[in-house]
Amino acid sequence: MSAVLPNAASPKEPLVLGIESSCDETGVGIVRGTTLLTNTVSSSMDEHVRFGGVIPEIASRAHLDAFVPTLQESLQEAGVTLEDIDAIAVTSGPGLAGALMVGVCAAKALAVATGKPLYAINHLVAHVGVGLLDAQHDAGAAAGLGAGQLPENLGALLVSGGHTEILRIRSITDDVELLGSTIDDAAGEAYDKVARILGLGYPGGPAIDKLARQGNPKAIRFPRGLTQPKYMGTAEEKGPHRYDWSFSGLKTAVARCVEQFEARGEEVPVADIAAAFQEAVVDVITSKAVLACKEHGITDLLLGGGVAANSRLRELTGQRCASAGIKLHVPPLNLCTDNGAMVAALGAQLIMGGIAPSGVAFAPDSSMPVTTVSVPA
């Protein structure tokens, strides 16, 4: 089965329902072209707190419980029905296999029941697509990309619990290039693990960000992974990890630092460690991202993903982009974290770009490469 858009639908402003279930947020969003109508999210984060991280089985069961109420609330807020929807878009990967399965099965059921075309899309590219939505932005935040139009030389820095990547976007519908990524922990994972070491609980990102404001980021010098010459190389002869990141060594350095204070019987300076750790993370992320942009002619950079809510990351990215003549774009905070609106936004771009729907024969792919924007039929 591979439904097509009905003749009555406007190709300029398709009404798209987006479904997101790659991790612990059950998201349903509805957009009309590049206009955001509603973004409804149900999070199971509280159920994972006592485990110090997301438990896939718990997340999958939470998606099952939350999907129908979230869908109903989203349709009600948008003032539309399933009959009004022109197409359905769903995250097909990457993400947790069981969690993805719930959203994909729900989307397939809706597509079969309604006869609407279904688009299986890439979760990471959706973080870029959300920047195209004509939505109200946070006061004081950098601007979004502007409704419906991508800058000519666009890059994306995606920083989340599961991914840290720098991309070049030539076409959001079919030409996305991975320039660099983490080779071990993502930045968000490192935050969670270090927060656990410091006794700050889960999720670690907000806790460390808050505490770091009370500490001295220069009190301790933590390592910046993959910044040695053998990894970086030169502009002419690029090293093997010139635009890549590694945070596992940083996490270990924090653990050893805490152990040394405890072994000496001294009070652990938790705020200073949090500040120094955060500075090490954002320093290496922003320096390598800006380097990749400069060496690939990228003049506009979108910062997305859940860790984009981090105040120091936003601040330093803004400073370094401004110094390099790069225009920074940051979606509103509620659209940086995983949500259905970003899925619907990318789905709308695919429709307006003339990309055929995926049908219902596809399977979720927990390791879907970022170069695969949507699953072909």
Side-chain angles (χ1 to χ4, degrees):
M1 172 186 170
S2 181
V4 295
L5 287 172
N7 293 331
S10 169
K12 294 183 179 180
E13 292 190 333
L15 185 64
V16 183
L17 173 74
I19 298 170
E20 157 62 25
S21 69
S22 64
C23 192
D24 60 339
E25 281 100 3
T26 307
V28 178
I30 300 174
V31 306
R32 189 185 299 277
T34 58
T35 301
L36 174 62
L37 300 185
T38 183
N39 180 36
T40 308
V41 178
S42 174
S43 175
S44 62
M45 181 178 294
D46 291 344
E47 299 180 44
H48 305 281
V49 169
R50 67 190 179 100
F51 300 102
V54 176
I55 305 301
E57 178 67 18
I58 293 176
S60 300
R61 291 180 180 274
H63 288 310
L64 284 170
D65 292 337
F67 178 73
V68 172
T70 305
L71 173 63
Q72 292 173 335
E73 181 179 346
S74 185
L75 291 169
Q76 184 176 1
E77 287 184 356
V80 300
T81 67
L82 285 174
E83 292 182 357
D84 298 326
I85 297 295
D86 293 320
I88 300 168
V90 63
T91 294
S92 180
L96 301 176
L100 288 169
M101 183 68 74
V102 176
V104 167
C105 288
K108 287 182 178 182
L110 287 175
V112 171
T114 61
K116 307 295 183 179
L118 177 61
Y119 288 81
I121 67 138
N122 191 299
H123 168 88
L124 298 175
V125 184
H127 275 297
V128 182
V130 77
L132 290 168
L133 290 176
D134 183 13
Q136 182 65 44
H137 296 284
D138 296 329
L145 293 171
Q149 186 174 2
L150 284 175
E152 184 175 350
N153 300 305
L154 175 66
L157 175 59
L158 304 182
V159 190
S160 70
H163 301 274
T164 305
E165 300 180 339
I166 179 73
L167 313 175
R168 178 161 61 179
I169 316 293
R170 292 189 181 90
S171 168
I172 198 171
T173 60
D174 59 10
D175 193 350
V176 176
E177 179 184 0
L178 177 65
L179 299 180
S181 65
T182 178
I183 65 171
D184 42 54
D185 288 347
E189 290 173 315
Y191 267 89
D192 288 338
K193 292 174 180 177
V194 167
R196 191 179 309 146
I197 293 170
L198 298 178
L200 300 179
Y202 176 83
I208 289 179
D209 190 19
K210 181 179 179 180
L211 185 61
R213 298 168 194 166
Q214 305 171 27
N216 178 7
K218 298 181 179 179
I220 303 165
R221 172 73 183 185
F222 286 124
R224 274 66 166 163
L226 300 182
T227 56
Q228 298 92 334
K230 65 179 179 179
Y231 299 123
M232 295 294 294
T234 64
E236 292 74 24
E237 296 184 14
K238 294 180 174 59
H241 296 293
R242 188 169 179 81
Y243 310 128
D244 294 331
W245 296 278
S246 171
F247 299 108
S248 62
L250 173 59
K251 173 196 66 179
T252 301
V254 172
R256 296 293 174 267
C257 178
V258 171
E259 290 172 0
Q260 289 169 5
F261 277 103
E262 292 175 340
R264 294 193 297 264
E266 300 176 7
E267 182 179 354
V268 178
V270 178
D272 285 348
I273 292 176
F277 160 77
Q278 176 161 277
E279 194 65 19
V281 172
V282 301
D283 179 25
V284 72
I285 286 178
T286 55
S287 62
K288 287 204 169 196
V290 169
L291 177 64
C293 289
K294 290 168 65 176
E295 293 186 348
H296 286 83
I298 292 171
T299 56
D300 289 74
L301 180 68
L302 180 133
L303 175 63
V307 184
N310 181 276
S311 62
R312 182 55 180 153
L313 178 61
R314 294 163 75 95
E315 177 185 31
L316 191 56
T317 306
Q319 291 173 355
R320 287 184 167 170
C321 281
S323 297
I326 299 167
K327 187 175 181 180
L328 178 64
H329 308 269
V330 186
L333 288 179
N334 66 321
L335 296 180
C336 286
T337 54
D338 295 346
N339 61 84
M342 69 183 196
V343 179
L346 180 54
Q349 291 297 315
L350 292 169
I351 294 168
M352 293 185 288
I355 305 298
S358 305
V360 295
F362 68 92
D365 182 357
S366 60
S367 57
M368 178 184 285
V370 72
T371 50
T372 301
V373 178
S374 63
V375 179

